[in-house]
Amino acid sequence: MRLFAPLIVLLSMPVLGSAQIGQSPDTLAKQLQARYQNVRDFTADFVQTYRGGVLRTETRERGTVAVKKPGRMRWIYTSPERKEFVSDGQKMYSYIPEDRQVMVSNVPADSQAPTPVLFLAGKGDLVKDFTASQADSPVPGSIGLKLTPRRNEPEYEYLIVAVDPATLQIRALTTRDRQGGESTLRFENLKENKGISDKDFAFRIPRGVDVITDGQRN
């Protein structure tokens, strides 16, 4: 599932602040980290594009996302195919209605979790976990910040964050995977610290679907 790498920066979305043009990448990373500490939850609409493969074909999907610390998230893809990816902080559920199948797994322990999952638990640090450098932004009028993980991450090589210079909100996030593919998430209608209920992250397994837990069919 390609959405986990973007989660590391999704929780860095700030409420207030500004980024000065020309400041160092390290300074911008510190500002994002400082704002990240104040974000308890957020919701947004998103459009995700992925370009990869030998022919560099592109796919486009859209939907909504909700995230709440620690470790709760709900991604609902609405187009072109409905998909749901939900974490209640303990279990993770992957559901594609067309397949009539729910995949269930445990949220990884800290020692086994990749950096993005640690951020879901509110334990990551942009400055300590990444090397920051300048990058071209995928969104006109925003600032690009390239974040390269200090430890080897099997899922991705680096992230490029598009930051609004006036508000420090994240406008887009591009992830480059180990196969040379690029996934870009663009966000709209972003709302932070609205007091999302834990009940919004409770997943109810639909009737009549196959349930596969840690690779074993129930």
Side-chain angles (χ1 to χ4, degrees), residues 2-213:
R2 292 192 294 267
L3 59 85
F4 280 109
L7 289 172
I8 188 169
V9 182
L10 284 176
L11 287 178
S12 303
M13 293 180 180
V15 181
L16 300 171
S18 63
Q20 296 179 359
I21 302 297
Q23 68 183 357
S24 72
D26 287 341
T27 298
L28 181 55
K30 289 178 181 178
Q31 289 182 343
L32 287 175
Q33 178 63 31
R35 298 303 181 188
Y36 152 79
Q37 300 294 345
N38 296 321
V39 177
R40 301 181 300 275
D41 60 55
F42 74 88
T43 61
D45 299 328
F46 71 85
V47 175
Q48 181 176 13
T49 58
Y50 180 79
R51 181 178 297 176
V54 177
L55 300 178
R56 306 299 292 175
T57 56
E58 183 174 295
T59 61
R60 179 181 296 266
E61 300 176 286
R62 63 176 62 247
T64 62
V65 59
V67 173
K68 180 181 181 180
K69 295 179 182 177
R72 294 177 174 85
M73 66 175 181
R74 178 182 291 273
W75 294 78
I76 298 180
Y77 287 73
T78 57
S79 174
E81 178 184 21
R82 186 172 180 85
K83 296 183 289 186
E84 294 185 30
F85 301 101
V86 180
S87 171
D88 61 11
Q90 300 295 323
K91 297 286 186 179
M92 300 179 66
Y93 303 86
S94 302
Y95 174 48
I96 300 177
E98 186 174 331
D99 294 344
R100 302 194 60 76
Q101 186 178 89
V102 175
M103 308 286 290
V104 185
S105 61
N106 293 321
V107 172
D110 289 357
S111 60
Q112 301 174 332
T115 306
V117 177
L118 291 179
F119 263 78
L120 279 178
K123 300 177 182 179
D125 190 301
L126 288 176
V127 178
K128 293 181 179 179
D129 296 335
F130 292 88
T131 299
S133 59
Q134 293 181 339
D136 292 334
S137 172
V139 178
S142 62
I143 299 174
L145 180 67
K146 182 178 180 179
L147 297 171
T148 303
R150 296 183 185 275
R151 75 179 189 183
N152 181 57
E153 294 282 358
E155 295 182 357
Y156 65 98
E157 293 182 20
Y158 59 78
L159 312 168
I160 295 178
V161 190
V163 181
D164 187 305
T167 64
L168 272 185
Q169 285 191 332
I170 305 297
R171 296 304 184 199
L173 172 66
T174 295
T175 309
R176 183 176 179 88
D177 62 34
R178 294 292 179 180
Q179 291 72 46
E182 289 189 348
S183 177
T184 298
L185 283 162
R186 297 192 180 218
F187 306 102
E188 298 177 349
N189 302 322
L190 194 152
K191 300 176 182 178
E192 301 102 338
N193 295 333
K194 294 298 183 180
I196 305 174
S197 171
D198 291 351
K199 295 180 180 179
D200 291 345
F201 303 94
F203 183 82
R204 295 177 177 81
I205 296 177
R207 293 181 178 179
V209 302
D210 291 331
V211 179
I212 299 177
T213 302

